[in-house]
């Protein structure tokens, strides 16, 4: 069935829209177009409220020679004119990001399926809320207090400090209790005790990178990629083929991911990427999780996009089957 689909993407993705198969949305949009859906794109600043209704200025996309393009003309419509909205701007989750999420408070969520629901994205911090699942995560502290952080680092000896609202490893520091710059780093990152950060115990297995466990709805994908630390870095930092390798999930990781998936999908968080080290979740990505489709295809010799689309189409049809049943019984 042909659907009207809107992707709210990052400004940078719109700027480099064509020939960008490193980006998950490139694959999503291309595959929906190949299946004869109508796909439009917008960025956060294209969302607005008029007459107490959620509206958008969007651009139509089209497929040509196996690549995607968009028309420059802006079309103004209600967000509820779309069957499905994929909300996938990248962090930082700043005031502009939060205001974009507020627009969706005026969307009829029975009529339009939101993936992921921006209200839930706004209320779920990718670092802070790993603590919803304490048995699956490294010991950590979330605070703006330099004193509490210093005590935690002294206790653990090696830790990782993370800002709460960034992505792609931005602002992430390795902290060692013997580092003479330790207090300087802590003061800078907390803005002298005014801004909360997360500090996690360091997992020694991090030297081998972290696994990206991919979830769609309640389905945990078997295919998994390991992101390797960059050159002269303790974390994954360079999107290059040499920093990826295929890896299998352990049974514990599958069970853990399944439990998390069931809980998050009930909140409207359907596209989720878990970053995992030594069977511990260090981050739960819900804003714009990358599915590393190109890398998985190269490492596994498959068309991973077909498997993803099967899950997405099933989720969409299930949603509208429920809506039809509700309307019939109303």
């Amino acid at each position: 069935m042909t659907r009207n689909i809107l992707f709210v993407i990052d400004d940078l993705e719109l700027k480099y829209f064509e020939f960008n198969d490193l980006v998950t949305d490139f694959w999503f949009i291309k595959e929906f177009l190949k299946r004869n859906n109508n796909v439009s794109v917008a960025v956060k600043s294209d969302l607005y409220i008029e007459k107490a209704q959620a509206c958008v200025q969007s651009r139509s996309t089209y497929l040509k020679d196996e690549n995607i393009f968009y028309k420059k003309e802006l079309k103004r419509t209600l967000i509820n004119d779309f069957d499905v909205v994929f909300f996938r701007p990248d962090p930082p989750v700043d005031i502009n990001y939060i205001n974009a999420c507020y627009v969706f408070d005026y969307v009829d969520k029975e009529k339009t399926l939101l993936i992921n629901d921006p209200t839930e994205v706004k209320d779920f911090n990718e670092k802070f809320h790993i603590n919803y699942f304490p048995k699956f995560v490294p010991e950590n502290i979330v605070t703006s207090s330099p004193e509490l952080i210093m005590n935690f680092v002294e206790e653990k000896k090696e830790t990782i400090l993370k800002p709460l609202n960034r992505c792609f490893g931005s602002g992430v520091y390795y902290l060692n209790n013997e580092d003479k710059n330790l207090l300087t780093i802590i003061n800078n990152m907390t803005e002298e005790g005014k801004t909360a950060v997360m500090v996690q115990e360091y997992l020694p297995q991090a030297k081998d990178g972290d696994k990206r466990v991919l979830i769609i709805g309640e389905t945990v994908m078997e295919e998994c990629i390991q992101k390797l630390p960059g050159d002269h870095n303790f974390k994954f930092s360079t999107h290059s083929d040499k920093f990826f390798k295929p890896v299998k999930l352990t049974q514990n990781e599958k069970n853990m991911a399944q439990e998390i998936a069931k809980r998050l999908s009930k909140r409207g968080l359907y596209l989720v990427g878990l970053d995992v080290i030594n069977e511990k979740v260090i981050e739960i990505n819900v804003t714009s999780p990358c599915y590393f489709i190109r890398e998985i295809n190269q490492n596994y010799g498959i068309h991973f996009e077909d498997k993803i689309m099967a899950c997405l189409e099933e989720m969409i049809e299930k949603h509208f089957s429920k809506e039809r049943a509700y309307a019939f019984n109303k």
Side-chain angles (χ1 to χ4, degrees):
M1 181 178 180
T2 298
R3 296 288 182 192
N4 294 319
I5 301 172
L6 173 68
F7 277 80
V8 183
I9 61 177
D10 200 66
D11 293 76
L12 200 60
E13 286 184 23
L14 186 68
K15 183 177 180 180
Y16 300 106
F17 190 73
E18 300 89 5
F19 306 103
N20 198 354
D21 65 355
L22 288 175
V23 176
T24 297
D25 291 330
F26 172 93
W27 291 91
F28 283 3
I29 293 167
K30 180 179 178 180
E31 293 304 315
F32 275 116
L33 287 171
K34 286 171 68 174
R35 289 159 174 78
N36 297 317
N37 295 283
N38 303 314
V39 183
S40 299
V41 292
V43 294
K44 298 190 300 291
S45 57
D46 291 319
L47 304 168
Y48 65 103
I49 296 292
E50 187 174 22
K51 297 179 180 177
Q53 292 180 301
C55 305
V56 63
Q57 300 183 118
S58 63
R59 305 149 185 85
S60 298
T61 69
Y62 61 97
L63 189 65
K64 181 181 178 182
D65 299 327
E66 288 297 301
N67 195 31
I68 58 173
F69 302 88
Y70 69 86
K71 298 177 181 179
K72 308 306 180 189
E73 178 187 0
L74 286 172
K75 182 180 179 181
R76 295 184 177 91
T77 59
L78 297 177
I79 292 177
N80 271 136
D81 287 342
F82 293 94
D83 299 304
V84 185
V85 176
F86 285 83
F87 185 79
R88 291 179 53 79
D90 291 336
V93 182
D94 54 15
I95 188 61
N96 294 325
Y97 198 109
I98 291 170
N99 285 339
C101 291
Y102 284 146
V103 172
F104 289 87
D105 291 343
Y106 296 85
V107 172
D108 182 344
K109 297 178 185 180
E110 293 296 327
K111 184 176 180 182
T112 300
L113 174 60
L114 303 179
I115 305 174
N116 290 331
D117 185 339
T119 301
E120 295 296 335
V121 170
K122 173 175 58 67
D123 290 343
F124 188 96
N125 183 279
E126 298 180 323
K127 282 86 169 174
F128 206 113
H129 289 116
I130 64 171
N131 287 302
Y132 278 146
F133 308 96
K135 63 182 178 180
F136 297 142
V137 305
E139 192 173 344
N140 66 83
I141 184 171
V142 181
T143 180
S144 59
S145 166
E147 181 183 0
L148 290 177
I149 295 172
M150 286 289 290
N151 292 342
F152 187 80
V153 177
E154 285 295 330
E155 177 190 348
K156 298 300 179 184
K157 310 304 181 189
E158 295 178 286
T159 62
I160 300 296
L161 182 150
K162 300 178 178 183
L164 295 176
N165 70 335
R166 302 189 202 171
C167 65
F168 307 127
S170 172
V172 175
Y173 282 88
Y174 166 84
L175 303 181
N176 186 299
N177 69 314
E178 296 182 355
D179 189 340
K180 295 186 184 302
N181 290 310
L182 180 60
L183 185 57
T184 299
I185 294 171
I186 293 171
N187 281 332
N188 283 341
M189 294 306 296
T190 63
E191 298 181 287
E192 305 294 334
K194 295 188 288 290
T195 300
V197 296
M198 167 172 278
V199 184
Q200 291 177 340
E201 63 174 319
Y202 176 74
L203 302 176
Q205 296 82 359
K207 70 182 188 304
D208 300 318
D210 62 276
K211 295 180 181 180
R212 171 56 64 89
V213 183
L214 300 168
I215 295 168
I216 296 180
E218 294 189 10
T219 300
V220 178
M221 298 295 179
E222 290 287 339
E223 295 80 7
C224 184
I225 207 80
Q226 185 131 346
K227 300 176 289 164
L228 307 176
D231 294 330
H232 310 294
N233 208 332
F234 69 93
K235 62 183 184 292
F236 172 76
S237 59
T238 307
H239 203 130
S240 175
D241 291 346
K242 71 176 183 177
F243 296 111
F244 297 98
K245 70 176 185 180
V247 66
K248 291 185 176 180
L249 296 178
T250 67
Q251 190 58 52
N252 285 341
E253 288 167 340
K254 291 178 185 177
N255 295 342
M256 173 179 69
Q258 190 68 65
E259 184 172 330
I260 293 172
K262 287 181 178 179
R263 184 163 173 183
L264 295 189
S265 65
K266 291 177 181 177
R267 295 185 58 169
L269 298 172
Y270 305 112
L271 296 183
V272 177
L274 307 180
D275 289 333
V276 175
I277 298 175
N278 193 35
E279 300 185 340
K280 294 285 187 181
V281 176
I282 61 168
E283 195 161 318
I284 300 176
N285 300 281
V286 301
T287 49
S288 55
C290 180
Y291 276 70
F292 297 101
I293 296 172
R294 191 191 74 162
E295 291 75 19
I296 287 176
N297 285 349
Q298 290 176 344
N299 280 279
Y300 286 86
I302 61 173
H303 295 286
F304 190 45
E305 65 272 23
D306 292 337
K307 185 171 182 179
I308 287 176
M309 289 303 298
C311 290
L312 289 175
E313 289 177 327
E314 181 182 1
M315 182 191 308
I316 292 168
E317 292 311 310
K318 184 177 179 181
H319 172 84
F320 287 103
S321 294
K322 285 182 179 178
E323 182 192 346
R324 285 192 294 270
Y326 173 78
F328 179 79
N329 293 320
K330 193 173 179 180

